[in-house]
Amino acid sequence: MKGYSVTVYEKEQMLGGMLTMGIPSFRLDKAVVNAEIDILRELGVQFKTGVEVGKDVTLDQLRSEGFKAFYLGIGASKGSSLNCPGEELPGVYTGIDFLRRVNLGEKPEVGSDVAVIGGGNVAIDVARSAVRLGAENVTIIYRRGRDEMPAADDEIAEAEEEGVKFRFLSAPVEVLGEGKCQSLKLELMELGEADAKGRRKAVGTGKYETVPVTSVISAIGQKIDLSGIADFETDKSGNVVVKLPSYQTSVADVFAGGDVVTGPKFAIDAIAAGKEASISIHRYVHPGQSQVIGRDNRDYKPLDASTIAISIGSFDTAPRQKAASAAAAEAKKTFKDLRGTLTEEQMKREASRCLGCGCVVIDEDLCVGCGICTTKCKFDAIHLEKTIDNVGTTYYRTLLTAATNAPKAIGRLARKKLVKK
């Protein structure tokens, strides 16, 4: 923004948030994130680490220093505990804290038998990290069945290849041990009615089993910790409420996006929210601009071929391309990302799934046919082709037509005003 400086305050000593501290290196190499951060530095963005806004410095102090607007992107960085007896024993971790320690270069002591509680992608990341820390037996324990598990199928498959086991329809009720975590008591579950999200609820059966463990890692959810930054309006889940499309909070000069607004979602969703909020902040600090004019409120939904009610024979149904990767036996020995890259042919096939989707209808509300996109596309992927050759009406005939239609138009406007009154 011309005439304004941008400063990022990060409470940790490492930049990148969950991208660097919540995602293991074998899934996202830290060098990739740091390269993006270096680009921001070159653009003039300043970074201050080890500063927790709301604790070390307040918004009022920052306002007094000349800051005109703020973006809250703190995510849902607090792990959820098991809420059962024994969770205070050594060897019991939350998934978020466990991954943070691993990404900071520490090696949490997990022992030989690790139980990971949860069914999402974080649970998968935790389990695969525990394997790399030397655990011999790693089991993901989930209270529902395999079909209800929210983790991505490819993530589950990779975990299985590395030796991670899965135990379904089981829920922890107590961590047992003398001075340390030694065993985990589980209640056997069964599936009941579907919940609000369409997943069948896990119902206790009153039957129990106890399994030996050396550590238990809770990956059952994430919480938002506002740490006294400001008194924001929040919903019943504790998420910060924002106005769309501006992402403006109940505090006028504070905008927010990402997990702190939506709860845990994909990183790309947070990045998209940050982009929209940056547009809003630019407008906010330049008086006289609207937060809604020219904003696209459309929410695009992906096509689910498994539930579509029409024939998709004419659609491009090519599967996503997958890069070759190292064998699981080799991958589980290191935190390095051993995945390869797509071949030239694979890149063409993958690109064709988007660029060759068969969409031939231009949205006239968004496209005026200026053709600038064809000149700006670095890959020569966009072309405009004239398919209709209309001949315009001469000027004087256009005036006559407009004059003839004027009484009808005035009549319509008059009727609308009468209806509104």
Side-chain angles (χ1 to χ4, degrees):
M1 289 180 287
K2 189 174 181 180
Y4 291 90
S5 62
V6 179
T7 303
V8 175
Y9 288 89
E10 168 61 59
K11 75 172 183 177
E12 302 288 352
Q13 295 298 329
M14 180 189 293
L15 293 171
M18 295 299 287
L19 293 180
T20 53
M21 286 173 283
I23 301 178
S25 295
F26 56 82
R27 287 196 59 214
L28 177 61
D29 196 314
K30 302 299 173 281
V32 175
V33 182
N34 290 330
E36 295 292 328
I37 294 173
D38 287 340
I39 293 174
L40 296 178
R41 283 197 179 96
E42 293 176 4
L43 292 173
V45 177
Q46 300 179 43
F47 295 91
K48 295 186 178 181
T49 58
V51 180
E52 185 175 353
V53 177
K55 181 178 179 181
D56 301 320
V57 64
T58 65
L59 290 183
D60 285 338
Q61 288 175 313
L62 294 176
R63 291 185 182 104
S64 67
E65 294 177 14
F67 288 95
K68 301 299 182 183
F70 306 89
Y71 180 71
L72 186 66
I74 62 174
S77 58
K78 190 175 181 181
S80 297
S81 60
L82 293 174
N83 291 322
C84 69
E87 64 179 4
E88 73 287 347
L89 288 171
V92 181
Y93 309 91
T94 65
I96 296 299
D97 290 338
F98 176 79
L99 290 175
R100 182 183 290 111
R101 291 180 60 183
V102 169
N103 284 310
L104 289 174
E106 300 179 25
K107 293 185 177 181
E109 183 64 39
V110 295
S112 60
D113 301 300
V114 178
V116 180
I117 314 302
N121 287 329
V122 173
I124 301 293
D125 288 345
V126 168
R128 297 177 68 188
S129 296
V131 169
R132 285 159 174 76
L133 289 175
E136 298 175 5
N137 300 300
V138 179
T139 303
I140 291 179
I141 297 173
Y142 184 50
R143 60 179 178 167
R144 293 185 173 95
R146 170 66 179 85
D147 293 339
E148 290 74 31
M149 197 171 184
D153 289 338
D154 57 339
E155 296 287 337
I156 295 173
E158 290 177 1
E160 289 178 328
E161 290 174 1
E162 294 176 2
V164 175
K165 301 180 181 66
F166 291 83
R167 175 169 178 153
F168 300 107
L169 295 173
S170 301
V173 293
E174 185 176 5
V175 182
L176 304 169
E178 296 182 5
K180 62 179 181 179
C181 173
Q182 294 176 315
S183 60
L184 179 65
K185 184 178 181 180
L186 301 170
E187 181 176 10
L188 305 185
M189 315 296 283
E190 61 183 13
L191 294 178
E193 299 296 325
D195 61 14
K197 295 181 179 180
R199 292 186 300 172
R200 296 176 65 185
K201 295 181 179 179
V203 181
T205 63
K207 299 177 182 179
Y208 301 89
E209 287 185 11
T210 301
V211 296
V213 294
T214 53
S215 61
V216 177
I217 308 175
S218 169
I220 58 175
Q222 298 166 233
K223 297 179 181 179
I224 294 169
D225 183 11
L226 293 174
S227 298
I229 296 175
D231 187 16
F232 298 107
E233 179 186 355
T234 58
D235 60 21
K236 62 181 181 180
S237 298
N239 302 332
V240 173
V241 174
V242 298
K243 301 175 184 176
L244 295 176
S246 68
Y247 287 86
Q248 188 175 33
T249 70
S250 56
V251 180
D253 61 351
V254 181
F255 299 78
D259 291 0
V260 73
V261 170
T262 63
K265 291 188 72 176
F266 292 112
I268 193 61
D269 293 303
I271 293 170
K275 180 178 180 179
E276 290 299 319
S278 69
I279 296 172
S280 300
I281 291 173
H282 180 86
R283 295 184 179 194
Y284 180 81
V285 299
H286 292 88
Q289 296 201 37
S290 167
Q291 289 287 5
V292 296
I293 292 178
R295 305 296 285 269
D296 186 354
N297 292 320
R298 300 180 183 186
D299 183 17
Y300 293 96
K301 301 293 184 183
L303 176 67
D304 187 349
S306 65
T307 60
I308 193 167
I310 62 174
S311 172
I312 59 172
S314 59
F315 283 65
D316 180 4
T317 55
R320 290 188 64 175
Q321 299 298 305
K322 185 175 182 180
S325 58
E330 181 182 354
K332 68 181 184 179
K333 296 177 182 178
T334 177
F335 278 92
K336 293 182 179 179
D337 187 353
L338 300 183
R339 292 173 296 181
T341 57
L342 297 177
T343 65
E344 180 178 350
E345 181 61 29
Q346 284 181 310
M347 285 189 282
K348 290 179 179 179
R349 290 180 182 177
E350 188 67 20
S352 69
R353 296 175 67 243
C354 171
L355 303 179
C357 63
C359 180
V360 295
V361 179
I362 293 177
D363 189 334
E364 296 179 357
D365 292 329
L366 298 178
C367 176
V368 295
C370 68
I372 292 178
C373 59
T374 66
T375 65
K376 295 298 183 182
C377 179
K378 297 179 180 179
F379 307 102
D380 192 31
I382 306 174
H383 302 271
L384 291 183
E385 180 180 350
K386 189 174 183 179
T387 58
I388 300 176
D389 192 9
N390 288 335
V391 178
T393 306
T394 55
Y395 182 63
Y396 78 90
R397 288 187 179 280
T398 302
L399 291 177
L400 291 175
T401 301
T404 304
N405 292 335
K408 296 179 180 179
I410 293 173
R412 286 196 298 270
L413 291 173
R415 285 195 295 275
K416 287 182 178 180
K417 288 185 178 180
L418 287 173
V419 171
K420 288 183 180 179
K421 289 180 180 180

